[in-house]
Amino acid sequence: MFLHGTSRVNEQGKLEIGGCDTTQLAAQYGTPLYVYDEAQIRSKCRDYVEAFRKSGFAFQVAYASKAFCTMAMCKLVEEEGLSLDVVSGGELYTALQAGFPVERIHFHGNNKSLDEIVMALDAKIGCFVVDNFYELHLLDHLAAERGEKVSVLLRVTPGVEAHTHEYISTGQVDSKFGFDVKHGQALEAMKFAHESNHLHLLGVHSHIGSQIFETDGFIVAVQKLTELLGAAKDSFGFLPEVLNVGGGFGIRYVDGDTPQPAETYIKAITDTVKAELNARHIPLPELWIEPGRSIVGDAGTTLYRIGSQKEIPNVRKYIAVDGGMTDNLRPALYQAEYEAAIANKMDEAATEVVSIAGKCCESGDMLIWDVKLPAAVAGDILAVPSTGAYGYAMSNNYNRIARPAVVFVKEGESELVVKRESYADVVGHDLLPKRAQLQR
């Protein structure tokens, strides 16, 4: 197993993260358990900030909270000077409860409800990332009613799709997100927002994909965005204050994943923006990006307790753990791959190939296929790294399984930042029918 961040094998042959023995964490907090390497998260935040400082651009690095959103994470992001992207009323509420500076909150989403928009307006957040004409006109109407001027970015689909090592520069017109550039919707929306008395059009935003290892897709996206900005300048004199190129920067999950340093992505983006806008005589705007997975993904490790085993001769050996698709939906959802190690046997040789099964009553609840591990017995602690993004965020109560706890670790200290759910929590919103209440 690749050791990320502060992870190491200690003198007792056990996995240690942030100076904390993971087997002791499992004993103290129970399993499954999400463990976050706080020092590594802060280091990733600072990498992006420093890369932009070197570029000379004015900038905002906005953490995409959908990757992992808790009050503790919002507070950490605030301390590192980052902005915050939210995509729902729940994420916005979490940020507000954490005391996150409202002027640094950006509200995304393709179907914001009226209640969510009003909640954000009441909070006076920094800007809305407007996704469609319905939202654009609704926000304009609400701002007019309130006698306010609301800052907006328009999310556009530039016709670029990127994922891992590949990008497509002719597709991705068919997306549920954003104003389409190809058919003129983006330019029409920009003109409306620019001419509105109640909207302050900051600029445009795009997001081209996720888990991106190369810079090519970002370069092509910037070229298409600057073409759009050039058309807006020529058509109705709009000059952008902000250009937001989104996120999607990749991390290492398994051998063969080759993410670039933050500085490589940022240099490619800033160099392209500078060249393209200078050629169009457009003043350089503030640049925004939205890393999420790349900040928290490989800083998170999930700990499980191994239970039953099943061996099918000449076919496969299954090892079951006390979690699964309720704490990490990604393998079942889109066949995501992970590595693993036995945290209490880090110095033992890997002698057998096994597949890690979850405990849900679902054949598709498999966490890892065919991983090589030391011989395991019930009670061993299995560590699965790079689960910091979309593990807790997608956790669920399938089979009425309670969600795990979350701890931050740093310099030998652990801190509980999300309590483990109890069965009482799981049924906490259930209501018995009136006849059953009378019988009781």
Side-chain angles (χ1 to χ4, degrees):
M1 185 185 83
F2 184 85
L3 296 176
H4 298 270
T6 65
S7 298
R8 73 180 192 101
V9 179
N10 66 19
E11 291 74 13
Q12 289 74 45
K14 298 176 181 178
L15 177 63
E16 188 178 283
I17 305 173
C20 296
D21 186 321
T22 55
T23 63
Q24 294 177 8
L25 293 173
Q28 180 178 355
Y29 297 106
T31 55
L33 179 67
Y34 299 111
V35 179
Y36 280 84
D37 184 344
E38 183 179 335
Q40 187 178 359
I41 296 175
R42 292 184 184 276
S43 176
K44 291 295 184 73
C45 292
R46 293 167 189 175
D47 285 346
Y48 282 111
V49 170
E50 182 57 28
F52 265 118
R53 283 180 178 155
K54 290 179 180 178
S55 76
F57 273 84
F59 67 92
Q60 283 192 44
V61 177
Y63 169 64
S65 69
K66 67 174 185 173
F68 171 61
C69 184
T70 66
M71 289 198 292
M73 185 61 198
C74 290
K75 183 57 66 176
L76 186 156
V77 167
E78 177 192 352
E79 291 169 353
E80 291 299 325
L82 272 59
S83 297
L84 189 73
D85 285 336
V86 300
V87 298
S88 72
E91 290 181 359
L92 175 58
Y93 184 81
T94 302
L96 296 176
Q97 288 296 108
F100 196 89
V102 290
E103 68 276 8
R104 302 209 313 259
I105 296 176
H106 313 154
F107 196 176
H108 284 255
N110 71 304
N111 190 29
K112 304 177 186 72
S113 71
L114 176 60
D115 287 345
E116 288 175 322
I117 292 174
V118 170
M119 178 183 176
L121 287 171
D122 288 344
K124 302 188 183 303
I125 65 165
C127 81
F128 290 81
V129 182
V130 177
D131 199 272
N132 49 67
F133 285 108
Y134 168 80
E135 181 188 347
L136 183 65
H137 294 141
L138 176 59
L139 195 55
D140 183 60
H141 173 72
L142 291 172
E145 279 190 338
R146 299 163 70 106
E148 297 175 358
K149 194 154 190 173
V150 179
S151 294
V152 298
L153 284 172
L154 300 187
R155 178 166 180 170
V156 304
T157 50
V160 179
E161 181 180 13
H163 182 72
T164 58
H165 294 286
E166 300 177 353
Y167 75 89
I168 303 168
S169 60
T170 56
Q172 202 55 15
V173 171
D174 185 5
S175 170
K176 78 173 191 178
F177 295 109
F179 297 94
D180 175 42
V181 172
K182 182 177 180 181
H183 297 98
Q185 293 178 348
L187 198 61
E188 179 186 347
M190 291 176 70
K191 187 174 189 296
F192 177 89
H194 178 60
E195 295 176 352
S196 168
N197 292 323
H198 300 285
L199 299 178
H200 174 203
L201 179 60
L202 296 174
V204 294
H205 163 282
S206 76
H207 180 75
I208 61 172
S210 62
Q211 191 61 355
I212 302 168
F213 295 150
E214 307 297 340
T215 60
D216 297 5
F218 291 108
I219 291 171
V220 175
V222 167
Q223 290 169 343
K224 290 180 178 290
L225 290 173
T226 52
E227 287 175 11
L228 174 65
L229 293 174
K233 176 194 171 189
D234 294 341
S235 297
F236 44 88
F238 174 72
L239 296 174
E241 298 171 48
V242 173
L243 178 60
N244 188 332
V245 297
F249 313 107
I251 68 166
R252 185 194 187 282
Y253 285 102
V254 295
D255 190 32
D257 289 345
T258 56
Q260 305 297 317
E263 187 173 359
T264 300
Y265 293 115
I266 301 310
K267 188 176 188 309
I269 291 167
T270 54
D271 285 353
T272 308
V273 169
K274 191 176 297 183
E276 295 292 328
L277 290 185
N278 284 344
R280 292 173 171 82
H281 306 289
I282 296 175
L284 297 180
E286 192 168 292
L287 278 182
W288 294 5
I289 60 166
E290 302 165 353
R293 181 201 314 260
S294 62
I295 285 178
V296 293
D298 54 13
T301 298
T302 307
L303 303 179
Y304 302 95
R305 193 169 298 277
I306 291 172
S308 65
Q309 299 187 24
K310 174 184 177 179
E311 186 162 7
I312 307 171
N314 302 315
V315 178
R316 188 180 305 280
K317 183 174 183 178
Y318 291 92
I319 289 180
V321 295
D322 57 356
M325 62 190 298
T326 47
D327 58 78
N328 188 354
L329 190 58
R330 295 183 70 251
L333 191 62
Y334 37 73
Q335 294 76 54
E337 295 182 325
Y338 290 90
E339 297 177 338
I342 297 180
N344 52 298
K345 296 179 176 178
M346 296 296 290
D347 57 357
E348 294 188 18
T351 57
E352 56 183 10
V353 175
V354 299
S355 292
I356 308 301
K359 66 175 292 177
C360 291
C361 189
E362 195 75 40
S363 296
D365 184 21
M366 294 294 301
L367 289 173
I368 308 175
W369 294 99
D370 301 329
V371 60
K372 199 168 185 180
L373 295 174
V377 297
D380 283 342
I381 302 300
L382 186 80
V384 179
S386 295
T387 56
Y390 307 109
Y392 173 81
M394 291 183 176
S395 62
N396 60 84
N397 293 124
Y398 184 52
N399 292 165
R400 295 244 121 169
I401 293 173
R403 289 180 177 88
V406 182
V407 297
F408 280 10
V409 293
K410 184 182 179 183
E411 297 176 351
E413 300 290 332
S414 63
E415 182 175 9
L416 184 68
V417 298
V418 178
K419 294 189 293 185
R420 183 176 303 280
E421 284 185 342
S422 66
Y423 291 137
D425 293 327
V426 174
V427 303
H429 293 286
D430 287 16
L431 296 174
L432 282 170
K434 291 181 181 179
R435 65 180 181 278
Q437 295 177 28
L438 293 173
Q439 292 170 359
R440 296 182 71 179

